[in-house]
């Protein structure tokens, strides 16, 4: 196994990566009656930032905290993710969730499935007055695209953990900034299309079992 393992940290996206479906999108879609879909083309084209996109989507969504949380509970995580977390822990590799989604549903699903100990970098969502208020506690020093820039959060996690190399696992447009800083990149769906279009080296995956297998093949894991 590469000596690099002792210098390795792993950062993973949440929506559509740890979960099989994008929780944040589906929350806004359900509780806006699908009206949030009209906002997304401007975000994907880069005409509005993630922060503006979230504000517009949140303004369209209406639902009680109880109804929203009950809906969150219908989502499932990748069944191979807990085993991947255990493997990283056994090898002493720090792992963090780095998301441009909202912490309230990330925490709820992680805690439900016994993964509440994981560190989470994400935006905040407050459920009050039958609405969702999105807050952005993380400072983006150089990025004007994201709610919480994954490149910046990964840099902070590297410094915090004392590791120099990062594996990143993602699936969507919100992961674009992470492609600049990851030494090993796993991609699928929209992120894979972006990597292909921009000649960015990546490794395809479907589940975290694939990630584990590939990391073993390239001798980053035993």
């Amino acid at each position: 196994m590469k000596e690099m393992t002792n210098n390795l940290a792993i950062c993973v996206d949440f929506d559509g990566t740890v979960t099989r479906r994008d929780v944040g999108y589906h929350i806004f879609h359900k509780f806006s009656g699908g009206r949030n879909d009209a906002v997304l083309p401007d975000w994907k084209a880069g005409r509005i930032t993630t922060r503006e996109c979230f504000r517009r989507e949140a303004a369209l969504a209406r639902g009680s905290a109880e109804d929203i949380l009950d809906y969150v509970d219908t989502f499932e995580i990748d069944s191979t993710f807990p085993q991947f977390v255990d493997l990283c822990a056994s090898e002493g590799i720090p792992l963090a969730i780095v998301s441009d989604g909202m912490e309230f549903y990330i925490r709820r699903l992680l805690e439900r499935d016994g993964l509440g100990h994981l560190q989470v970098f994400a935006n905040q969502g407050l459920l009050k007055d039958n609405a969702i208020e999105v807050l952005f506690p993380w400072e983006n020093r150089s990025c004007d695209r994201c709610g919480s820039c994954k490149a910046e959060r990964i840099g902070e996690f590297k410094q915090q953990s004392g590791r120099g190399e990062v594996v990143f696992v993602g699936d969507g447009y919100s992961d674009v900034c992470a492609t600049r800083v990851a030494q090993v990149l796993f991609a699928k769906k929209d992120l894979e299309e972006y990597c292909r279009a921009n000649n960015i080296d990546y490794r395809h995956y479907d589940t975290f079992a694939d990630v584990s297998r590939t990391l073993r093949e390239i001798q980053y894991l035993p």
Side-chain angles (χ1 to χ4, degrees):
M1 184 169 56
K2 291 179 181 293
E3 293 182 0
M4 171 191 237
T5 300
N6 292 327
N7 197 35
L8 188 66
I10 296 179
C11 294
V12 301
D13 171 52
F14 188 78
D15 289 84
T17 301
V18 171
T19 55
R20 301 299 287 169
R21 295 186 295 155
D22 188 318
V23 184
Y25 165 76
H26 281 94
I27 289 173
F28 284 132
H29 186 79
K30 178 176 176 63
F31 291 95
S32 73
R35 291 181 295 162
N36 71 311
D37 285 352
V39 178
L40 299 179
D42 282 342
W43 172 68
K44 290 183 177 181
R47 291 187 289 270
I48 62 173
T49 66
T50 296
R51 296 188 180 201
E52 179 61 23
C53 181
F54 269 171
R55 292 187 183 105
R56 293 185 189 183
E57 289 186 287
L60 297 172
R62 288 292 179 271
S64 69
E66 181 180 8
D67 286 345
I68 292 171
L69 292 175
D70 284 346
Y71 184 59
V72 170
D73 289 341
T74 67
F75 288 83
E76 300 295 332
I77 68 169
D78 175 350
S79 62
T80 68
F81 183 62
Q83 184 177 3
F84 181 76
V85 172
D86 289 344
L87 176 60
C88 291
S90 70
E91 294 300 318
I93 300 172
L95 183 151
I97 304 294
V98 182
S99 171
D100 217 1
M102 291 176 283
E103 189 169 353
F104 81 88
Y105 64 76
I106 296 172
R107 285 288 182 198
R108 187 174 181 90
L109 292 174
L110 290 177
E111 289 170 5
R112 182 195 68 189
D113 291 350
L115 299 168
H117 61 284
L118 292 178
Q119 185 168 358
V120 175
F121 297 85
N123 306 306
Q124 292 182 358
L126 301 181
L127 305 179
K128 60 180 184 179
D129 301 325
N130 288 317
I132 303 172
E133 180 183 359
V134 187
L135 303 176
F136 305 97
W138 297 99
E139 177 187 0
N140 291 341
R141 296 176 297 279
S142 60
C143 176
D144 59 4
R145 170 191 175 98
C146 304
S148 176
C149 178
K150 295 185 183 182
E152 295 189 16
R153 302 296 82 76
I154 288 170
E156 291 160 4
F157 185 59
K158 283 173 63 177
Q159 184 175 22
Q160 171 189 312
S161 62
R163 306 302 171 97
E165 305 288 339
V166 168
V167 171
F168 180 77
V169 188
D171 81 305
Y173 290 113
S174 67
D175 300 318
V176 165
C177 287
T179 66
R180 303 197 309 265
V181 297
Q183 281 67 53
V184 181
L185 175 65
F186 287 87
K188 63 181 176 180
K189 296 184 285 191
D190 290 339
L191 182 59
E192 183 171 27
E193 290 184 12
Y194 175 84
C195 290
R196 286 177 175 172
N198 291 276
N199 296 315
I200 296 171
D201 186 44
Y202 74 95
R203 296 173 187 275
H204 174 80
Y205 76 103
D206 181 50
T207 72
F208 277 89
D210 301 322
V211 176
S212 298
R213 181 171 55 253
T214 300
L215 289 176
R216 288 188 177 104
E217 289 172 353
I218 62 177
Q219 298 183 326
Y220 277 39
L221 287 174

